[in-house]
Structure formats: structure tokens, C-alpha cells
Amino acid sequence: MIIRKTAAELEKMRRSGLLVFTVLKKLGDMVEEGVSTYDLEVAADRMIADAGARPAFKGYFVPAAGERYKYVLCTSVNSEIVHGMPSPKRILKKGDIVSIDTGVQLDGYFGDSAITVGVGELSEETKRLLQVTRDSLELAIQQARSGNRLFDVCGTVERHVVSNGFSVVREYVGHGIGTQLHEEPQIPNYVDRKNENPRLKEGMVLAIEPMVNAGKADAKVLGDKWTAVTKDGSNSAHFEHCVAVTSNGPWVLTRP
Ligand code: MF3
Ligand code: CO
């Protein structure tokens, strides 16, 4: 069942969303050569605590990993797709890209968003990877409208990515969000005709999160049980927003 939120609930989700935005904005500004992914973790932990919120990922049980996640952030560098773990040893260098993904729970409701940021000057191909991934999210957000169907969102990401010569990751998907970090429906970044294709309705909130590889789609998980990487070693980008379906169209909760 896809849970629909009342206007009052959406206002609460808005507060969570804006906190996540503020955190990611600050972390994005911190990214430069010599900064470690753990420096980002420490800053995020402090900001979320200062706001009176709870970090949504820390302690979150992921069945595929078989354990609870230990950090506030997922920091996935270059060929890492998602669930990269912050480490003082992972020092960013020029030409790297880092996906920073975080979530919070505030007054019972979750917010979840991700950005991918470059360190210094990027190659033309990597700049294009970030732009195509960002654009695929913006186009998908525009599909989050009452009367459309879930596949309109999924297919919009897939078409934009594939037509630009990149590939979408299949093992990790977006999700509904509310009083749980992950609610129905699952939101793949591709159309799978075997899945249900519900009609979108006012009050639904979708966490749309394209994960896009510069090379092939294939992913594998490293021995740490968490870090997902591209099999071919190509770079991967990730952007995410929470979007409410409203009578006024899509409302992106995780940005001003
Ligand atoms: N990146 C996932 C999402 O955006 C959540 C992270 S799973 C966790 O839905 F284990 F890190 F919490
Ligand atoms: Co998410």
C-alpha cells in the first residue's frame, strides 16, 4: 500500500527535507582536495544533532548487508555507486567525484537526498555524467503528478540516461518515504513490466534517486558488505530528491 500524506504531514516532511538540503549544501561547499569523507561525516553528524533531528541511516538495518549501517552519510567516490562508508583514509583528490547521500528523521518524518560533487576540474566525460544524471532527476520530478503512473517516473530517467549513452543501475532503487525511510512503492530507474504500475495520487511522496554509470550497468558489492561499485570501474553518479505529488504539481521537499 502506498501511504498518502495529509497537508499537515507534508509540512512536517518539508521541515525534514529542508534540513537535509541545508546539510548537503554545507557538505558540498566543504568538498575540496585534501578533505576526507570522514570530515564530511563529522560535520553532518553535528548539524543534524544541532537541529534536534536523528540521522536516518545510522543504525538502519539493510537485509542485503545483513547488518545495521554505522554512519550518518553514504559517501561514494568515483566507481562507487552507493553505500560508500565515510573514512578518514578516503581523502578526496582533484578529478574525483563524490556522491553524498543522507537522511534525517525530524518530528517523526523522514527526509532523504543525495548530490554528487566534483573535486576541482573534471574531465568532459565526467561533467557530462553529472549533468545527465541531474537532468534525469529533474525530468523525472516533472512526472510526479496526480494521474500519471509510476512508470512515467521510472521510464523518464531510463530514457534520458540511455539516450545519452550511459546506463542505469538496476540493483538499487528509489522509494516512497514518510514515517519510514523506505515505504512503498519501489522506484526503479527503469521500467520493468513485471512490476506494478500504480497511478500517482495527491499526498504520495517519492524519493527519486537515479544512479547512473558512465559505462555498463553491472554492479557488485565489495567485501565490506556495503560498498556497491561498478564492475567495469567506470564512474557512477547519484542525485536524489523527495517529491510530493500535490494539486499544484510536483513539490520538491528537499530544496527551497
Ligand atoms: N541510500 C539509500 C537511500 O537513499 C539509503 C541508505 S541505506 C543505509 O534510500 F543503510 F545507508 F541507510
Ligand atoms: Co533514498
Side-chain angles (χ1 to χ4, degrees), residues 129-155:
L129 174 68
L130 297 195
Q131 195 57 49
V132 167
T133 309
R134 211 184 274 119
D135 290 346
S136 75
L137 174 55
E138 293 305 325
L139 292 167
I141 287 169
Q142 286 311 315
Q143 296 298 317
R145 293 175 186 280
S146 170
N148 274 3
R149 288 185 181 270
L150 186 63
F151 284 0
D152 294 318
V153 173
C154 307

Side-chain angles (χ1 to χ4, degrees), residues 56-57 60 62 69 74 82-83 101 112 175 181-182 209 226 238 240:
F57 295 178
Y60 190 77
V62 172
Y69 192 67
C74 296
V82 279
H83 303 164
D101 184 0
D112 181 10
H175 48 95
L181 176 62
H182 293 150
E209 48 180 316
W226 287 95
H238 178 206
E240 175 177 20

Side-chain angles (χ1 to χ4, degrees), residues 36-86:
S36 81
T37 53
Y38 198 76
D39 295 332
L40 303 175
E41 169 78 9
V42 169
D45 198 18
R46 190 176 314 121
M47 288 182 80
I48 292 168
D50 286 351
R54 190 181 75 76
F57 295 178
K58 207 183 219 176
Y60 190 77
F61 184 79
V62 172
E67 62 185 28
R68 292 178 186 279
Y69 192 67
K70 296 187 185 63
Y71 302 93
V72 172
L73 303 179
C74 296
T75 50
S76 309
V77 181
N78 296 339
S79 64
E80 297 171 0
I81 300 166
V82 279
H83 303 164
M85 291 180 281

Side-chain angles (χ1 to χ4, degrees), residues 1-255:
M1 192 198 37
I2 304 177
I3 299 165
R4 295 164 67 184
K5 282 79 184 175
T6 63
E9 290 179 297
L10 291 184
E11 287 302 331
K12 290 189 181 187
M13 296 196 71
R14 175 60 164 166
R15 289 184 56 224
S16 305
L18 287 181
L19 174 57
V20 172
F21 171 83
T22 305
V23 171
L24 288 180
K25 174 86 181 71
K26 161 81 190 227
L27 301 180
D29 289 345
M30 279 176 68
V31 166
E32 61 174 334
E33 191 183 25
V35 167
S36 81
T37 53
Y38 198 76
D39 295 332
L40 303 175
E41 169 78 9
V42 169
D45 198 18
R46 190 176 314 121
M47 288 182 80
I48 292 168
D50 286 351
R54 190 181 75 76
F57 295 178
K58 207 183 219 176
Y60 190 77
F61 184 79
V62 172
E67 62 185 28
R68 292 178 186 279
Y69 192 67
K70 296 187 185 63
Y71 302 93
V72 172
L73 303 179
C74 296
T75 50
S76 309
V77 181
N78 296 339
S79 64
E80 297 171 0
I81 300 166
V82 279
H83 303 164
M85 291 180 281
S87 163
K89 288 189 213 150
R90 194 69 193 253
I91 297 173
L92 298 172
K93 56 182 199 315
K94 282 189 185 135
D96 283 348
I97 54 171
V98 56
S99 151
I100 310 171
D101 184 0
T102 197
V104 304
Q105 188 182 26
L106 183 62
D107 201 9
Y109 288 83
F110 285 90
D112 181 10
S113 183
I115 56 174
T116 300
V117 184
V119 185
E121 195 58 23
L122 302 180
S123 71
E124 286 307 313
E125 177 76 345
T126 302
K127 277 193 242 176
R128 201 171 67 85
L129 174 68
L130 297 195
Q131 195 57 49
V132 167
T133 309
R134 211 184 274 119
D135 290 346
S136 75
L137 174 55
E138 293 305 325
L139 292 167
I141 287 169
Q142 286 311 315
Q143 296 298 317
R145 293 175 186 280
S146 170
N148 274 3
R149 288 185 181 270
L150 186 63
F151 284 0
D152 294 318
V153 173
C154 307
T156 294
V157 174
E158 182 176 38
R159 274 192 303 279
H160 188 71
V161 169
V162 170
S163 68
N164 279 283
F166 297 135
S167 49
V168 294
V169 173
R170 304 187 74 85
E171 290 88 342
Y172 302 90
V173 299
H175 48 95
I177 183 168
T179 58
Q180 306 291 321
L181 176 62
H182 293 150
E183 296 183 356
E184 287 183 31
Q186 290 198 16
I187 310 175
N189 295 301
Y190 54 92
V191 171
D192 184 341
R193 297 277 161 206
K194 290 195 295 295
N195 292 343
E196 282 183 67
N197 185 19
R199 211 176 270 287
L200 302 179
K201 297 195 172 125
E202 281 170 32
M204 291 180 177
V205 183
L206 310 178
I208 307 173
E209 48 180 316
M211 286 154 266
V212 175
N213 297 349
K216 295 214 175 78
D218 306 69
K220 63 178 182 188
V221 177
L222 298 183
D224 64 18
K225 296 189 279 192
W226 287 95
T227 314
V229 300
T230 61
K231 272 195 189 166
D232 64 9
S234 66
N235 276 350
S236 187
H238 178 206
F239 288 87
E240 175 177 20
H241 275 303
C242 294
V243 187
V245 177
T246 81
S247 57
N248 291 320
W251 181 19
V252 181
L253 300 174
T254 42
R255 71 177 170 216

